[in-house]
Amino acid sequence: MMGLACDIGGTNTRVGLVLDGKVLQDSLASYPNDDFADFYQLIDAYLNRVGQARIEAVCIALAAIATAQGAQLTNRNWTIERDKVAAVCGTGYVDFINDFEALGFCLAQVELLATTPLVVGNGALRNGPRLVLGAGTGFNAAAWFPPRFGTAAHVSAAECGHITLPLQGEEEFFLQAALSRGRGRASVERALSGNGLVEIYQWCCQRSGRSPQFQTAAEVSSRAVEGADPDCEQAADMFLRLLGRVTGDLALAFLPAGGIYLSGGVTRALAPLICSRPTFHHAFCAKGRMAEFMESFSISLLLDDRAALSGCAEWLRLSGQ
Amino acid sequence: MMGLACDIGGTNTRVGLVLDGKVLQDSLASYPNDDFADFYQLIDAYLNRVGQARIEAVCIALAAIATAQGAQLTNRNWTIERDKVAAVCGTGYVDFINDFEALGFCLAQVELLATTPLVVGNGALRNGPRLVLGAGTGFNAAAWFPPRFGTAAHVSAAECGHITLPLQGEEEFFLQAALSRGRGRASVERALSGNGLVEIYQWCCQRSGRSPQFQTAAEVSSRAVEGADPDCEQAADMFLRLLGRVTGDLALAFLPAGGIYLSGGVTRALAPLICSRPTFHHAFCAKGRMAEFMESFSISLLLDDRAALSGCAEWLRLSGQ
């Protein structure tokens, strides 16, 4: 039974065919959203391209909350109606899932995805829950719990970007004041996102007395990785300290003995520094008498930007489609 | 098939018989640990009392990590060997689970337990995961995820007491400095525990210039609830602000649309102030643009101190015992 997996991002939409709970690698495609007037045209173009006339079930991952009727994209003027997707695809089975929930479901088949190890755990832990988290436009996480009592696995959705940003010590107290200005508080994604990295960079510039030279997270992260600018390097160092601490806190909440997977554009851009500098892992392990326990977790980078499609495939499999 | 549920606390051990995944109310008993040389004598006394000769399966909840051989209590010089429990009970089936994991499993049958509503959600949420958390000797949480895809429910264990204590603003910065002194950091349970309440109280006294009059969390919490001492009241207010914030952060991590249940001795002692003052719920909802969403969560107090036994019963049911 052939299914369709879609991952609608802010810029591109990725699409693939699903058979027996797996994405067919030859069927993968990615389209710039700007090339289409609406989502239905995009899907229509895809189905024509792959020559697939009959789709039995559809699963769409997106950064929006779906209703019975469909979903409204938050960062683009696209409304996606369930009925219209059904008409284009010729099936009545259309599910919407949150983009991070999709990443949670893809952890069931993470062995099939491209990953690279960042931290190898000390071997005490192997099996158990898996956690995916990451910083991109925003921040979020999802946990995958393996089957227990002979039943199916479970995925938990979250809104971790809105958790209180955990800060400590005098330097970070001043950072908190800067990030909270005009907002009353600082959430995790106030720092751990593309905009967050830029705000941390501007704060570093203010402290060093230099004028900010860069405007985007891509610029700040690439200069930091190259070691080409002291303010970018300091901003990246603070970002990785906070990311390590938050990742450690979420590890204590979900106990992902089966591994932690980092995703997201900003995380990926700064990943070389996670390996080459102690900042991230030091902050991750700094949990008092739990420090040794924290060293048992393995942490990998999720390279495959089609991971959410695998999550849609897993969702369709679990749904019996 | 008759099972045995045990909840070994620091002071008392609660025991009950289990039939078809439910604790038999008439069989419940609680024994002071000090009255027995070891756990086996306690169980032997119980089985003689209830006149139950044949036990088919045992589940023991305790604040310790169990190995294949058994467990060593952290706060009492008791070693509990699996083989010896098996010999006393006449069964080869002996499981150990974490005490908070047991509370997580009891959420499956929370309708059978004594609870009292503290905050009634605005009705947008009804079904979904349930979360139990609480402050007592330490702090922890566990989440129960309802069956999905027609399979069994899932419970996730955690070590939430070691998460970074989320502090913000100048006053709390000074509190963090006090709580971190000599330790390098402040974890959630550094504040949200019996000892934590006393430390916050001492910090309040230092700021008010008065000498501390009370030494225990029970004294501080009862004086605060009675409105009989300004330092106790301030300490309770700070405690509830932090408890509300942490509860809100964990709600964002687990999205417990099915309800949040507070447990633990300190939480229970301060519960009247959760209802009578806005501090807790205000801090719970203070999540920026998620504030309205936060108001949708219902929060109850878990009154039943035998809840962990129900969790053991649910565990035995899921295990097919």
Side-chain angles (χ1 to χ4, degrees):
Chain A
M1 178 181 315
M2 193 66 80
L4 182 69
C6 310
D7 172 25
I8 308 179
T11 310
N12 297 298
T13 292
R14 288 161 285 272
V15 201
L17 296 175
V18 176
L19 194 64
D20 299 331
K22 301 277 186 302
V23 175
L24 299 177
Q25 290 302 310
D26 292 346
S27 75
L28 288 168
S30 180
Y31 296 100
N33 295 342
D34 285 343
D35 290 2
F36 301 89
D38 55 38
F39 178 67
Y40 321 113
Q41 284 191 10
L42 189 156
I43 291 300
D44 199 46
Y46 175 74
L47 293 177
N48 281 329
R49 172 173 151 183
V50 293
Q52 183 68 28
R54 185 144 174 72
I55 295 291
E56 305 273 348
V58 179
C59 180
I60 300 170
L62 74 185
I65 294 166
T67 65
Q69 283 72 48
Q72 168 74 49
L73 284 197
T74 46
N75 45 12
R76 173 171 290 268
N77 188 24
W78 274 11
T79 302
I80 299 167
E81 289 175 41
R82 204 179 289 266
D83 289 351
K84 291 194 181 166
V85 176
V88 174
C89 298
T91 174
Y93 193 97
V94 179
D95 275 343
F96 292 89
I97 61 176
N98 173 272
D99 55 348
F100 249 88
E101 211 177 350
L103 290 181
F105 279 103
C106 94
L107 295 179
Q109 37 183 276
V110 75
E111 297 81 5
L112 301 178
L113 299 172
T115 59
T116 190
L118 299 174
V119 172
V120 178
N122 65 16
L125 302 174
R126 283 275 162 69
N127 299 308
R130 299 169 185 172
L131 180 68
V132 59
L133 61 91
T137 308
F139 180 96
N140 207 355
W144 174 87
F145 299 99
R148 207 172 180 184
F149 305 115
T151 67
H154 190 92
V155 165
S156 74
E159 289 285 353
C160 291
H162 302 280
I163 287 177
T164 311
L165 183 65
L167 295 169
Q168 57 193 30
E170 193 166 354
E171 184 187 21
E172 296 182 14
F173 170 74
F174 289 115
L175 174 62
Q176 187 180 59
L179 294 176
S180 304
R181 198 159 294 141
R183 298 163 181 139
R185 73 184 282 265
S187 65
V188 162
E189 72 182 16
R190 179 61 53 204
L192 297 180
S193 62
N195 285 340
L197 178 60
V198 173
E199 286 205 30
I200 294 172
Y201 165 70
Q202 289 165 343
W203 178 75
C204 290
C205 290
Q206 203 181 345
R207 287 165 67 91
S208 71
R210 288 182 285 262
S211 300
Q213 306 291 310
F214 310 106
Q215 269 76 48
T216 68
E219 289 172 301
V220 173
S221 53
S222 70
R223 292 307 185 288
V225 169
E226 292 160 11
D229 180 276
D231 297 311
C232 292
E233 285 179 81
Q234 275 192 20
D237 204 60
M238 176 61 83
F239 187 97
L240 291 175
R241 192 205 291 182
L242 298 176
L243 181 64
R245 188 181 300 149
V246 169
T247 304
D249 285 345
L250 292 174
L252 289 165
F254 291 101
L255 300 183
I260 298 167
Y261 295 86
L262 304 185
S263 76
V266 186
T267 319
R268 226 173 311 187
L270 292 173
L273 300 177
I274 293 180
C275 296
S276 66
R277 292 194 197 171
T279 312
F280 173 88
H281 197 235
H282 181 83
F284 177 84
C285 291
K287 303 297 179 193
R289 64 179 192 274
M290 299 297 275
E292 197 182 328
F293 175 70
M294 298 308 290
E295 285 176 16
S296 62
F297 290 104
S298 291
I299 307 173
S300 303
L301 186 66
L302 195 54
L303 297 168
D304 206 321
D305 74 346
R306 286 150 175 174
L309 290 184
S310 294
C312 292
E314 180 70 12
W315 167 277
L316 289 173
R317 188 184 72 79
L318 290 170
S319 308
Q321 296 299 319
Chain B
M1 177 181 316
M2 193 66 81
L4 183 69
C6 310
D7 172 25
I8 309 179
T11 310
N12 297 298
T13 292
R14 289 160 287 273
V15 200
L17 296 175
V18 175
L19 194 63
D20 298 331
K22 301 277 187 302
V23 175
L24 299 175
Q25 291 301 310
D26 293 348
S27 76
L28 288 168
S30 180
Y31 297 101
N33 295 342
D34 285 343
D35 290 2
F36 300 90
D38 55 37
F39 178 69
Y40 320 113
Q41 283 190 12
L42 187 156
I43 290 301
D44 199 44
Y46 174 75
L47 292 177
N48 281 328
R49 172 173 152 186
V50 293
Q52 182 69 30
R54 184 142 175 73
I55 295 290
E56 306 273 348
V58 180
C59 180
I60 300 170
L62 75 185
I65 293 165
T67 65
Q69 284 73 47
Q72 167 75 50
L73 284 198
T74 46
N75 45 12
R76 175 169 291 268
N77 187 24
W78 275 12
T79 301
I80 300 167
E81 289 175 41
R82 202 179 291 264
D83 288 353
K84 290 192 182 168
V85 176
V88 174
C89 297
T91 173
Y93 193 96
V94 179
D95 274 343
F96 294 89
I97 61 176
N98 174 271
D99 56 348
F100 249 89
E101 211 176 350
L103 289 181
F105 279 103
C106 95
L107 294 179
Q109 36 183 276
V110 74
E111 297 82 5
L112 301 176
L113 299 171
T115 59
T116 190
L118 299 174
V119 172
V120 178
N122 66 13
L125 302 174
R126 281 276 160 69
N127 299 309
R130 299 169 184 171
L131 180 68
V132 58
L133 62 92
T137 308
F139 180 96
N140 208 354
W144 174 87
F145 299 98
R148 205 172 181 184
F149 305 114
T151 67
H154 190 93
V155 166
S156 74
E159 290 284 354
C160 291
H162 302 281
I163 286 175
T164 312
L165 182 64
L167 295 169
Q168 57 193 30
E170 194 166 352
E171 183 187 21
E172 296 182 13
F173 170 73
F174 289 114
L175 173 63
Q176 187 181 58
L179 293 175
S180 304
R181 199 160 294 139
R183 298 163 181 140
R185 72 183 282 264
S187 65
V188 162
E189 73 180 16
R190 179 61 54 205
L192 297 180
S193 62
N195 285 340
L197 179 60
V198 174
E199 286 205 32
I200 294 172
Y201 165 69
Q202 289 166 343
W203 178 75
C204 289
C205 290
Q206 204 181 345
R207 286 165 67 91
S208 71
R210 287 181 287 263
S211 300
Q213 307 290 311
F214 311 107
Q215 269 73 51
T216 68
E219 289 173 300
V220 174
S221 54
S222 69
R223 293 306 184 288
V225 169
E226 292 160 11
D229 181 277
D231 297 312
C232 292
E233 286 179 81
Q234 276 193 18
D237 205 60
M238 178 59 85
F239 187 97
L240 291 174
R241 192 204 292 181
L242 298 176
L243 182 64
R245 186 181 302 150
V246 169
T247 304
D249 285 344
L250 292 174
L252 289 166
F254 292 102
L255 302 182
I260 298 168
Y261 294 86
L262 304 185
S263 77
V266 186
T267 318
R268 227 172 313 185
L270 293 174
L273 300 177
I274 292 180
C275 296
S276 66
R277 292 194 196 171
T279 312
F280 172 88
H281 197 234
H282 181 83
F284 177 85
C285 292
K287 304 297 180 195
R289 66 180 192 272
M290 298 298 276
E292 197 182 326
F293 175 70
M294 298 308 289
E295 284 176 14
S296 61
F297 291 104
S298 290
I299 307 174
S300 302
L301 186 66
L302 194 55
L303 297 167
D304 207 321
D305 73 346
R306 286 150 174 175
L309 291 184
S310 294
C312 292
E314 179 69 14
W315 168 276
L316 290 173
R317 187 183 73 78
L318 290 171
S319 309
Q321 297 298 318

